[in-house]
């Protein structure tokens, strides 16, 4: 082997040995670092146990003790604001000492002043009448992730929030700002302990790393993260709740009406503050072409520097490093940045400004720069400026902050800007660095050094983070009965022959529109009304084309004539159908934009319904004169209308449908046919029975329902048998039906009416007869102490329908040794009453032409309709559809 080859081989061997040594050395270093990390994590885990224990102790502190600690820490840190600012600048090499002093001052004085009287312990809100009590509880341990840009002020801010809310906080400093962050935390802990706080209520990571920070976030109760996008994303991915903030890329639009001096100097004030490290600081200005040169001149006059094309290219390449913001420019002065980029500027410069026209990855001046560098756009119009501002925000600053400089009187522009920019803070004529943190340029914007960007920026909050975000609020809600009500027509006249006397209240009216049907019109009974109107010289028009079970088309026909006549008085004259039609025509006359489908919308609570139909400044006074004794419609807010297309009946309920006056004159019911007398009488009885058993029943409705039942049981057989020969029976039945109407107008009905509406419509059965077929089966269904589902209403504390039915039996004197027997006697009395007035007990007798198979095939479609009927909601038993099906089958 030649000497040369031997030397080469020896050299290779030497290199191999050296590489092996380096490899072993690196391996040993890796093992040492891994062991160190394991020990650090273990120590942090043990420390967390101590913090958890001490936080539990602190959570029991009173508001007075917490407030004293909060105050003393704020005061102590305020005194250290200059030393902490110096330390932050010295360690990080970012920003300006004097500006960091202001931030430290803000974090103590403004935060203390904002929250000094804020309740964060125990009961923070109570309304005894409403039965609501709110109690504040701490979240637990907060992981406070601290950025390198604002290390001391952010530490102060987060610590004060944590102390005020009885939380513990453990800080994870940025590695390049760990000394000033930890020093600040030590001062906080020392003062907090001096005034009684537990030993470990404030903590920190001595040797910060990504692994330590992630472990902290995973083992705390909430992360309060301020830092770069990756750190914030890590916080939201930790598996624990997090409040983080996204990057800012604040655009400032300066329109042609703006105060140029104020706008430019506000931008300079903001952008130069702490060398632009505030994430809310302006990154671009968008200036209207008409004032562009004036704005540029003002920037130049105030010490800013506009880059040439060549300089713009140099600095543009320097701003981004590997497609990320170059950390070397963050928080540095304009002159230093220019020097680093190879740009020679011979005088002190406040801001480096590049005139640009693009937004996106190929334009480095359109990103968040965290330094005194601005992009400046010339815009042709205000709208173009808003659009470009949107593009800037969407490109690299979603949800953060945007600014508009304009004449304060330009409310339309301010609204336009506010509606289009998706940012959590929209500042008007305000320097954004100082304005966005709140309480300086607007006292009602929460002071904060953590600015949420909402879902736009991938954050959980869109507002300035404050005390409320670090609290769990427990709400103690006691059971409270809903307010009940009694709404009736303002005037109810009753007595035979009362029409002329009652009409004296209508003497100021000029034009009356009478709504009735062909039968009443042809018999001439309507003349008892028109003759009085003639005497009073009130012009009138009669619409007598109301059909049985009026439809939407029928109502529209009458409404057309009503609108043409323009009355100031509407008179509903007749039975249920004219009453129902009149109510809807009246409502649509008063409110032409009334939508029938909206009006038919069902509700759980009439006071909370989605659709509202209050009538203001009424065009017409509404008078209801019934000619049957059953519906009670003259005093109720209800109407039943049929859809022409689907043939479905809609029970409508709205207090806007309540008449202004009801006139009960028995003259109009003397000649009711026997069948109508029977059906309407049982309808009225069903109204009272359901009103009394309703979940919404009250003492006011109870007395009316019971008196109505007593009248009906006593006088209906006589009224049916003797007709117009028994004036007393006819008159009393008229009042009894009206009392039932007053009762169910305010306690609502139940399942019997829900099912009767659908049964009658499907098989052409009169409403009163449909109720008669169902009512006793409904009583049996409701009369249980153990329903499958109890109805839901606050005042309905437990199933009581069984006892309520027994009370009716007692009131009527039906006897019975116990509740069950009393209910049996009530059912028997109802069946006997039906027999006395000629009403069959089963559907098959009423409709013998319909087979059982045909009947059951039809009822399938009725079950869901009945369940969805407006009346079902007040039933004391919440019915299952199978129950409704079974009841329908049982009456065949």
């Amino acid at each position: 082997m030649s000497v040369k080859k031997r030397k080469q081989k020896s050299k290779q061997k030497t290199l191999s040995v050296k590489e092996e040594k380096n490899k072993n050395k690196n391996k040993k270093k890796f093992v040492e670092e891994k062991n160190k990390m394991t020990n650090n994590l273990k120590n942090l885990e043990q420390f967390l146990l101590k913090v958890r224990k001490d936080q539990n102790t602190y959570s029991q502190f009173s508001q007075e003790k917490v407030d004293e600690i909060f105050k003393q820490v704020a005061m102590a840190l305020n005194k250290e604001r200059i030393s902490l600012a110096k330390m932050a600048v010295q360690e990080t090499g970012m920003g300006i000492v004097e500006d960091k002093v202001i931030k430290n001052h803000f974090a103590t004085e403004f935060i203390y002043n904002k929250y000094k009287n804020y309740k964060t312990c125990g009961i923070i809100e109570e309304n005894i009448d409403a039965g609501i009590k709110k109690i504040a509880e701490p979240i637990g341990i907060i992981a406070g992730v601290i950025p390198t840009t604002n290390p001391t002020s952010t530490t102060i801010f987060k610590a004060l929030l944590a102390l005020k809310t009885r939380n513990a906080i453990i800080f994870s400093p940025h590695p390049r700002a760990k000394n000033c962050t930890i020093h600040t935390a030590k001062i906080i802990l020392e003062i907090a302990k001096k005034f009684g706080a537990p030993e470990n209520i404030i903590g920190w990571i001595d040797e910060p790393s990504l692994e330590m920070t992630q472990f902290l976030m995973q083992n705390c109760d909430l992360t309060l993260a301020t830092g770069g996008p990756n750190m914030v994303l890590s916080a939201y991915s930790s598996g624990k709740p997090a409040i983080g903030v996204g990057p800012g890329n604040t655009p400032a639009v300066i329109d042609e009406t703006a105060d140029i001096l104020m706008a430019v100097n506000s931008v300079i004030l903001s952008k130069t503050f702490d060398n632009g490290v505030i994430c809310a600081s302006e990154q671009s200005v968008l200036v209207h072409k008409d004032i562009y040169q004036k704005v540029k001149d003002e920037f130049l006059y105030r010490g800013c520097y506009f880059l040439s094309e060549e300089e713009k290219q140099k600095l543009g390449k320097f701003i981004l490093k590997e497609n990320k913001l170059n950390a070397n420019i963050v928080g540095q002065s304009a002159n230093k940045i220019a020097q680093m980029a190879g740009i020679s500027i011979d005088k002190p410069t406040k801001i480096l400004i590049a005139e640009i026209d693009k937004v996106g990855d190929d334009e480095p001046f359109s990103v968040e720069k965290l330094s005194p560098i601005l992009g400046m756009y010339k815009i042709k119009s205000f709208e173009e400026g808003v659009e470009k501002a949107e593009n800037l925000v969407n490109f690299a600053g979603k949800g953060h902050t945007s600014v508009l400089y304009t004449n304060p009187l330009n409310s339309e522009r301010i609204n336009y800007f506010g509606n289009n920019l998706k940012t959590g803070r929209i500042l008007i004529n305000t320097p954004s660095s100082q304005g966005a943190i709140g309480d300086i340029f607007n006292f009602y914007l929460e002071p904060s050094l953590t600015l949420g960007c909402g879902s736009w920026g991938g954050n959980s909050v869109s507002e300035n983070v404050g005390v409320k975000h670090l609290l769990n609020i427990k709400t103690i809600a006691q059971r409270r009965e809903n307010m009940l009500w009694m709404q009736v027509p303002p005037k109810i006249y009753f007595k035979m022959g009362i029409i002329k006397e009652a009409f004296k209240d209508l003497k100021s009216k000029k034009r009356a529109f009478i709504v009735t049907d062909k039968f009443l019109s042809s018999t001439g009974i309507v003349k008892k009304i028109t003759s009085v109107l003639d005497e009073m010289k009130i012009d009138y028009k009669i619409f007598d084309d109301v059909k049985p079970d009026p439809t939407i088309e029928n109502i529209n026909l009458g409404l057309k004539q009503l609108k043409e006549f323009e009355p100031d008085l509407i008179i509903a004259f007749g039975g249920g159908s004219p009453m129902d039609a009149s109510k809807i025509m009246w409502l649509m006359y008063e409110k032409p934009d009334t939508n029938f489908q909206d009006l038919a919308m069902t509700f759980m609570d009439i006071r909370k319904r989605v659709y509202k139909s209050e009538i203001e400044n009424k065009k017409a006074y509404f008078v209801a004169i019934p000619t049957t004794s059953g519906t009670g419609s003259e005093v109720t807010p209800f109407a039943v209308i049929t859809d022409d297309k689907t043939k479905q009946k809609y029970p409508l309920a709205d207090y806007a449908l309540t008449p202004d006056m009801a006139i009960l004159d028995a003259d109009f019911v003397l000649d009711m046919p026997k069948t109508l007398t029977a059906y309407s009488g049982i309808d009225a009885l069903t109204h009272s029975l359901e009103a009394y058993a309703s979940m919404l029943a009250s003492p006011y409705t109870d007395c009316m329902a019971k008196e109505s039942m007593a009248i009906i049981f006593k006088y209906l057989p006589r009224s049916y048998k003797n007709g117009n020969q028994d004036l007393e029976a006819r008159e009393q039945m008229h009042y009894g039906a009206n009392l039932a109407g007053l009762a169910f107008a305010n306690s609502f009905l139940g399942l019997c009416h829900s099912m009767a509406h659908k049964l009658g419509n499907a098989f052409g059965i009169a409403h009163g007869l449909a109720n008669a077929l169902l009512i006793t089966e409904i009583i049996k269904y409701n009369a249980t102490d153990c329903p499958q589902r109890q109805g839901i209403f606050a005042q309905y504390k437990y199933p009581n329908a069984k006892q309520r039915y027994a009370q009716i039996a007692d009131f009527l004197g039906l006897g019975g040794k116990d509740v069950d027997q009393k209910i049996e006697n009530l059912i028997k009395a109802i069946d006997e009453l039906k027999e006395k007035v000629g009403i069959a007990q089963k559907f098959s007798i009423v409709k013998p032409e319909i087979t059982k198979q045909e009947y059951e095939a039809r009822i399938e479609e009725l079950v869901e309709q009945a369940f969805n009927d407006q009346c079902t909601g007040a039933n004391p038993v919440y019915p299952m559809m199978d129950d409704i099906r079974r009841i329908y089958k049982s009456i065949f």
Side-chain angles (χ1 to χ4, degrees), residues 465-741:
V465 175
V467 160
K468 69 178 181 180
H469 299 103
L470 301 189
L471 288 171
N472 286 318
I473 305 298
K474 298 188 298 190
T475 300
I476 299 176
Q478 296 190 44
R479 183 173 183 141
R480 285 289 185 268
E481 294 183 4
N482 285 334
M483 176 196 74
L484 296 179
W485 57 89
M486 192 70 187
Q487 295 193 43
V488 300
K491 296 180 180 180
I492 302 175
Y493 290 97
F494 58 97
K495 201 64 182 171
M496 195 171 290
I498 197 68
I499 281 290
K500 187 175 287 191
E501 190 66 27
F503 269 33
K504 287 181 179 179
D505 276 355
L506 307 175
K507 59 186 177 183
S508 64
K509 304 304 176 185
K510 304 297 182 185
R511 298 165 69 81
F513 190 80
I514 302 170
V515 181
T516 187
D517 58 35
K518 291 291 186 186
F519 174 77
L520 293 172
S521 177
S522 63
T523 56
I525 194 171
V526 75
K527 289 182 180 179
K528 290 184 179 182
I529 294 174
T530 58
S531 61
V532 178
L533 293 175
D534 286 333
E535 288 180 25
M536 298 173 69
K537 296 186 174 13
I538 296 176
D539 191 14
Y540 60 85
K541 179 177 178 61
I542 299 174
F543 175 73
D544 62 0
D545 202 23
V546 175
K547 309 297 183 186
D549 299 325
T551 63
I552 298 171
E553 183 181 349
N554 191 199
I555 286 168
N556 285 333
L557 179 64
L559 182 63
K560 183 175 182 295
Q561 296 184 29
L562 175 63
K563 288 178 177 178
E564 290 171 354
F565 188 66
E566 295 185 345
D568 57 0
L569 173 64
I570 296 174
I571 300 173
F573 183 65
S577 294
M579 291 287 170
D580 290 345
S582 299
K583 287 181 179 181
I584 304 303
M585 288 162 57
W586 175 45
L587 180 61
M588 296 181 77
Y589 175 58
E590 299 289 349
K591 291 187 66 175
D593 60 342
T594 297
N595 184 291
F596 173 74
Q597 295 300 329
D598 292 342
L599 186 63
M601 190 181 300
T602 57
F603 53 83
M604 291 177 65
D605 188 327
I606 195 167
R607 299 156 303 169
K608 299 181 177 72
R609 67 183 306 184
V610 176
Y611 180 77
K612 296 284 185 183
S613 58
E614 294 92 348
I615 298 174
E616 297 177 3
N617 303 318
K618 290 182 178 178
K619 301 176 189 175
Y621 192 80
F622 186 75
V623 177
I625 306 172
T627 61
T628 61
S629 302
T631 68
S633 186
E634 69 278 0
V635 290
T636 72
F638 305 117
V640 180
I641 302 298
T642 302
D643 189 319
D644 302 85
K645 296 178 181 177
T646 65
K647 305 304 179 185
Q648 184 175 346
K649 283 189 177 182
Y650 289 103
L652 310 178
D654 196 302
Y655 281 110
L657 299 176
T658 305
D660 295 311
M661 178 190 291
I663 301 175
L664 303 174
D665 190 335
D667 270 346
F668 296 122
V669 296
L670 291 180
D671 297 319
M672 276 199 305
K674 276 182 173 289
T675 301
L676 181 57
T677 300
Y679 293 169
S680 59
I682 296 299
D683 187 20
L685 177 63
T686 306
H687 290 157
S688 293
L689 287 164
E690 293 211 285
Y692 196 80
S694 167
M695 292 190 297
L696 280 66
S698 71
Y700 293 92
T701 60
D702 286 352
C703 62
M704 294 179 181
K706 288 195 292 187
E707 184 61 26
S708 171
M709 284 185 271
I711 289 172
I712 293 168
F713 271 101
K714 181 176 180 180
Y715 289 105
L716 179 57
R718 283 173 48 183
S719 181
Y720 174 79
K721 181 179 179 181
N722 303 326
N724 60 14
Q725 301 303 306
D726 195 335
L727 299 183
E728 181 187 24
R730 287 282 171 163
E731 186 171 20
Q732 289 299 316
M733 276 300 301
H734 211 36
Y735 302 156
N738 181 259
L739 287 170

Side-chain angles (χ1 to χ4, degrees), residues 69-79 108-109 112 160 191:
I69 294 168
F70 180 61
K71 178 181 179 180
Q72 295 301 331
V73 169
M75 289 174 64
L77 289 166
N78 198 2
K79 293 173 184 177
T108 54
E109 182 178 291
Y112 172 72
L160 285 174
I191 301 302

Side-chain angles (χ1 to χ4, degrees), residues 14-287:
T14 302
L15 287 171
S16 180
V17 171
K18 191 175 181 180
E19 287 173 355
E20 188 66 28
K21 284 182 179 180
N22 286 336
K23 188 176 180 182
N24 290 335
K25 187 177 179 181
N26 290 336
K27 186 176 182 181
K28 184 179 179 182
K29 186 179 179 182
F30 174 77
V31 171
E32 287 175 354
E33 288 179 352
K34 185 176 181 182
N35 289 337
K36 184 180 177 181
M37 178 59 65
T38 301
N39 288 332
N40 286 343
L41 290 173
K42 189 176 293 184
N43 291 337
L44 179 56
E45 186 176 19
Q46 292 173 351
F47 179 62
L48 277 162
L49 295 175
K50 295 178 182 178
V51 175
R52 179 75 64 188
K53 181 179 178 182
D54 283 356
Q55 190 277 323
N56 285 335
T57 300
Y58 190 49
S59 70
Q60 303 304 313
F61 276 31
S62 66
Q63 188 73 65
E64 291 73 21
K65 289 181 70 175
V66 166
D67 286 347
E68 180 64 15
I69 294 168
F70 180 61
K71 178 181 179 180
Q72 295 301 331
V73 169
M75 289 174 64
L77 289 166
N78 198 2
K79 293 173 184 177
E80 297 291 334
R81 63 187 186 273
I82 295 177
S83 62
L84 293 175
K86 287 181 177 179
M87 193 173 183
V89 172
Q90 184 178 0
E91 184 178 6
T92 65
M94 295 179 182
I96 302 169
V97 168
E98 292 82 355
D99 290 342
K100 290 197 183 294
V101 170
I102 293 174
K103 287 195 282 188
N104 291 339
H105 203 162
F106 175 87
T108 54
E109 182 178 291
F110 278 68
I111 298 304
Y112 172 72
N113 182 69
K114 174 65 180 181
Y115 296 116
K116 62 185 178 183
N117 297 319
Y118 199 98
K119 288 185 178 181
T120 58
C121 304
I123 300 171
I124 59 173
E125 184 182 330
E126 185 171 17
N127 186 327
I128 296 174
D129 292 336
I132 288 289
K133 184 186 295 183
K134 294 189 176 182
I135 300 173
E137 293 282 5
I139 287 173
I141 302 177
I142 308 296
V145 180
I146 306 300
T148 186
T149 50
N150 306 297
T152 56
S153 56
T154 305
T155 301
I156 294 168
F157 168 70
K158 292 182 178 180
L160 285 174
L161 291 191
L163 289 170
K164 179 67 178 179
T165 52
R166 295 180 296 170
N167 290 297
I169 187 165
I170 300 175
F171 292 108
S172 174
H174 192 283
R176 287 190 284 135
K178 69 175 183 178
N179 293 328
C180 61
T181 300
I182 292 172
H183 180 71
T184 306
K186 284 180 176 178
I187 296 173
I188 295 167
L189 179 60
E190 181 184 343
I191 301 302
K193 284 164 56 179
K194 182 179 177 180
F195 288 90
E199 181 76 21
N200 300 294
I201 202 65
I202 305 290
W204 53 85
I205 295 173
D206 287 309
E207 295 295 332
S209 66
L210 181 59
E211 292 83 1
M212 293 288 282
T213 301
Q214 287 177 334
F215 183 85
L216 176 65
M217 292 190 297
Q218 290 165 0
N219 289 275
C220 285
D221 301 300
L222 174 76
T223 295
L224 197 53
T226 310
N230 291 336
M231 180 56 70
V232 172
L233 180 61
S234 180
Y236 281 116
S237 305
S238 67
K240 291 295 181 70
I243 297 174
V245 297
N249 191 30
T250 302
V253 174
I254 305 176
D255 77 9
E256 74 278 15
T257 71
D259 182 330
I260 295 174
L261 286 176
M262 182 186 72
V264 171
N265 287 282
S266 292
V267 172
I268 294 171
L269 170 67
S270 171
K271 191 60 181 168
T272 58
F273 184 76
D274 206 19
N275 280 340
V277 297
I278 301 281
C279 55
S281 65
E282 298 86 347
Q283 303 301 321
S284 303
V285 287
L286 303 96
V287 184

